[in-house]
Amino acid sequence: MTAIRLLLVDDDPLVRAGLAFMMGGAGDIEIVGEAADGGEVEELVERTRPDVVLMDIRMPAVDGITATERLRAREDAPQVVVLTTFHADEQVLRALRAGAAGFVLKDTPPAEIVDAVRRVAAGDPVLSPTVTRQLMAHAAGSTAGARGAHARVRLAALGEREREVAVAVGRGLSNADIATELFMSVATVKAHVSRALAKLGLNNRVQIALLAYDAGLLDEGADGAAGEDRRRGGGQARLPPSG
């Protein structure tokens, strides 16, 4: 099995040392580099070609949000998992909008951080529908109306079936579940997701989910999604893998 190539980015050397020690025990993860600031990330990515970047949000010069935006603009962009102290934080939401595939709290048990890296490398964004709603509620405020209007304009570019698939992605359904619910093949679901990403200028399913939340398309299904979250095990539920 090819090891997952991981780049660690945090301005605190003790945090980096702890992450390196933690990841060193996982035989399928190889740490290919470390950075103390977001400004170092692009050059390191070019040189080390990581599959996943574990990125601190708050850094003194170039923060993790800016670094994530720069990385995700690359054609060969690695996946990004952001590290944060508070889960209901507007900066987390900004990082997800920038293209991060999920986030983990710095006090998350080591095994779960390792699991998050593995899942993101496999194309399974680490983000639960419940946590997404918490983030959206935290960020709601004076700009919510404008953001919702903008999201609805963007989603108008989608065809009817692409829009239905986008809403299902936001509800946390897997491709197989979407196919069953919408009476289409899994291959067709994948095609709709790919076209939606291209039309919207997005790069992962997390961003589709956030756009659907912004547009208010998930309000009616919120209780159902929460129930689905509970059935899947609650706290660390994930959005489904892109494959």
Side-chain angles (χ1 to χ4, degrees):
M1 185 192 309
T2 303
I4 299 166
R5 298 174 63 80
L6 178 66
L7 176 64
L8 302 177
V9 185
D10 197 294
D11 64 323
D12 187 335
L14 291 178
V15 171
R16 292 200 309 275
L19 290 170
F21 178 78
M22 180 192 311
M23 297 298 170
D28 58 339
I29 297 176
E30 175 189 1
I31 298 173
V32 296
E34 297 183 19
D37 188 78
E40 305 170 25
V41 172
E42 285 188 278
E43 187 276 330
L44 271 174
V45 165
E46 187 69 31
R47 181 155 51 86
T48 64
R49 302 290 178 179
D51 301 304
V52 179
V53 178
L54 198 53
M55 179 97 70
D56 188 19
I57 288 185
R58 294 174 175 83
M59 290 178 284
V62 177
D63 63 33
I65 298 169
T66 301
T68 297
E69 289 174 339
R70 292 174 179 175
L71 282 185
R72 296 305 298 171
R74 299 169 58 100
E75 289 186 5
D76 57 347
Q79 297 295 331
V80 177
V81 179
V82 293
L83 287 164
T84 181
T85 305
F86 303 104
H87 75 276
D89 188 306
E90 188 166 355
Q91 287 192 301
V92 174
L93 189 59
R94 287 178 58 206
L96 295 172
R97 293 187 193 284
F103 71 92
V104 292
L105 300 179
K106 288 190 175 182
D107 61 358
T108 297
E112 292 184 22
I113 296 181
V114 172
D115 182 61
V117 169
R118 288 173 176 151
R119 288 182 174 274
V120 167
D124 185 2
V126 182
L127 185 68
S128 80
T130 296
V131 169
T132 304
R133 285 192 295 278
Q134 291 172 345
L135 286 168
M136 295 301 294
H138 176 80
S142 59
T143 62
R147 190 172 60 240
H150 179 66
R152 288 188 288 276
V153 169
R154 292 184 66 186
L155 287 169
L158 301 183
E160 181 180 355
R161 295 300 264 174
E162 291 164 352
R163 184 185 176 94
E164 290 174 343
V165 169
V167 172
V169 167
R171 289 169 48 211
L173 299 184
S174 68
N175 286 338
D177 289 340
I178 296 171
T180 299
E181 183 170 295
L182 298 181
F183 303 102
M184 58 179 69
S185 70
V186 171
T188 300
V189 172
K190 291 181 179 180
H192 282 314
V193 170
S194 295
R195 283 196 292 270
L197 289 170
K199 287 183 178 182
L200 297 170
L202 304 177
N203 51 45
N204 63 42
R205 293 164 75 100
V206 173
Q207 291 178 313
I208 291 179
L210 291 173
L211 198 63
Y213 274 98
D214 282 348
L217 299 181
L218 306 181
D219 292 345
E220 293 181 1
D223 292 339
E228 181 68 17
D229 237 8
R230 287 190 293 272
R231 289 191 293 275
R232 292 179 181 180
Q236 283 289 68
R238 286 97 170 160
L239 282 177
S242 56

